[in-house]
Amino acid sequence: MADDKKDYGDGEKVAVDNAPVYERGEAGVGTIQRDFVNNDDYYSLSFWGRMGFTPESFKRRSATDANRHNQLNQTMKGRHLHMIAIGGSIGAGLFVGTGSALRRGGPASLLIDYVIIGVMMFNVVFALGELALMYPVSGGFYTLVTRFVDPSWGFAMGWNYFLQWVFILPFEIVVASFTINYWSQGSISPAVFMAIFLGALILISCFGTLGYAEEEFWSSFIKLTAIVTFLIIGVVLVCGGGPAEGKYSEYWGTQYLTGDNAFKNGFKGFCSVFVTAAFAFAGTELIGIAASESKTPLQTLPSACKQVFWRVTLFYILSLLFVGLLISADDKRLIGDQAFANSQASPFVLVGKDAGLKGYDHFINAVIVISVISIGLSGVYGGSRTLTAMAEQGYAPKVFSYVDRAGRPLYSTLLILAVGFLAFAGTKPEEGQKLFDWLLSISGLAALFTWGSICLAHIRFRMAWKRQGHTLDEIPFKAAAGVVGSYIGLALSILVFIAQMYVAIWPIGGGPDGGPVNDAEGFFMSCLAFPVVVVFWIAGYIWKRPKFLTVDNIDLDSGRREIDWELHRSIEAKRAQASLPMKIYYKLF
């Protein structure tokens, strides 16, 4: 293997420990890469070329000094980034998955577990926001983990994240197709809807970054509207203001939340809810990848990170509070009778039915379909960007580094869309269920590794930042809880992982043989991501043989965003002189 070297400005190449190489600026240590954003090739195309529908748009984008760290477009607008942050990852995990979590753990466990995951996600997103604003490199968190933690661990995290999304895509297509059964009642083959949804995803992917961003903007708007209406309805129903023919025509109160089943199945039930909560929050980290394709991240990314607080409190915690108040954990309808997903088992749908709200269940079911397709598109977006970044750094086949003139990681996107055809295995639920159970077992714990690695990368960045003589004043956007928040996020990731391992070994209801311990198949069905990550970590180390990356050797300069400090300080000064209501607004939003 060739020695990894860097140019420190005097013409001499000096060997360093970390790989892959991040070259420092030619002017010397501390130089920040200028003219980083480069959309010239994109805007030189015709309108239909920019939309990705001309032969010219499929040609390879020319590599320049300006785009050597990131060949993707920086065309995503502020409104896109905000909506991706606040509603992008809301999907079946919240609308449907919470039903099974409620049945296993009870309403109190459901609420507390989501609060814990919410606290973790708050710190994860702010840590990622600080790093993504400083280093707008392609690949998002994977590239940052490679740079600040360890190249072999970054290799493992990159493939872990790619596999998470590539296998979620066909599953989400299957879920959306079976959700249509709410209306079709099985009269139309699910394969018809699988083909329609897959075709829609292919079409949207043709538009590249803006196709994903626009779809996420409008689907997030619909999802948030649905949750806000549910919160309003929930208040009315708990107070007994429901229709006379419904279940909630009299004061309902907190009978379920404070009853005997508040912590159903005890400690095991409490631990089992964590994996559902983690799945519901999966995709929140996409804001870090989206930031590298944003027009004005310095203005929009800090605000977008703050939206996560509102998503956690308003859209998750409050909605699940009303779910726990209005639906019993013993309700047999929460089990469902379909192999892949059953929107009829959604607690949101059940509330509308029990309340006698005509048409509300159809509205929620439609929102579930939109949400599931949205998550599928997120899988195409996140997986393709991660695979392309790995290819650029030599950790995946070089062919996947291809970015066309329309700014699309072409071959990476084609690969993930091709995997989407696995959805047709779900046309026969009895046979397809086993396949998807194993594919999803790889994704089960993937998010926890991702979030813990982001916090660890932030911790290592701050250590190197201080060791190499920098101050916090040189960081334009700082994580709300600082490095302490990242320690909290990392600790919670480890604790949730331990809880999931505990439930995988000693599941609720015992093992398949009637004993307390699970069998090997059941264990790996829950925790396959763990050995997969270990295997990739070892493979990455053997392949690249990186030396231990000390904080002194961490490269803080290559690809670092040039900050217009005069503009930044003027904005800060303006906010400092604002009225008290505006100061509160700037702090919260």
Side-chain angles (χ1 to χ4, degrees), residues 344-420:
Q344 297 185 49
S346 165
F348 293 81
V349 170
L350 295 180
V351 167
K353 281 187 172 182
D354 291 346
L357 300 174
K358 296 180 180 179
Y360 185 74
D361 54 333
H362 296 286
F363 168 66
I364 291 295
N365 199 68
V367 172
I368 292 173
V369 173
I370 294 171
S371 302
V372 169
I373 295 301
S374 168
I375 296 298
L377 186 63
S378 295
V380 177
Y381 178 80
S384 63
R385 270 61 181 175
T386 302
L387 182 59
T388 298
M390 289 192 293
E392 289 173 346
Q393 297 181 0
Y395 282 162
K398 199 66 178 177
V399 65
F400 295 114
S401 66
Y402 189 101
V403 177
D404 66 18
R405 295 189 63 193
R408 299 168 299 190
L410 192 60
Y411 295 135
S412 299
T413 302
L414 289 175
L415 174 64
I416 295 177
L417 289 172
V419 176

Side-chain angles (χ1 to χ4, degrees), residues 33-49:
Q33 182 67 41
R34 293 181 179 273
D35 300 322
F36 185 83
V37 178
N38 179 26
N39 293 325
D40 293 345
D41 196 32
Y42 173 75
Y43 286 114
S44 68
L45 296 170
S46 66
F47 171 79
W48 289 110

Side-chain angles (χ1 to χ4, degrees), residues 116 118-124 451-452 455-456 459 481-496:
I116 292 173
V119 170
M120 179 173 67
M121 288 311 306
F122 178 81
N123 289 301
V124 167
W451 299 334
C455 291
L456 182 58
I459 292 169
V483 72
V484 174
S486 291
Y487 278 109
I488 294 173
L490 178 60
L492 289 176
S493 297
I494 295 172
L495 289 175
V496 173

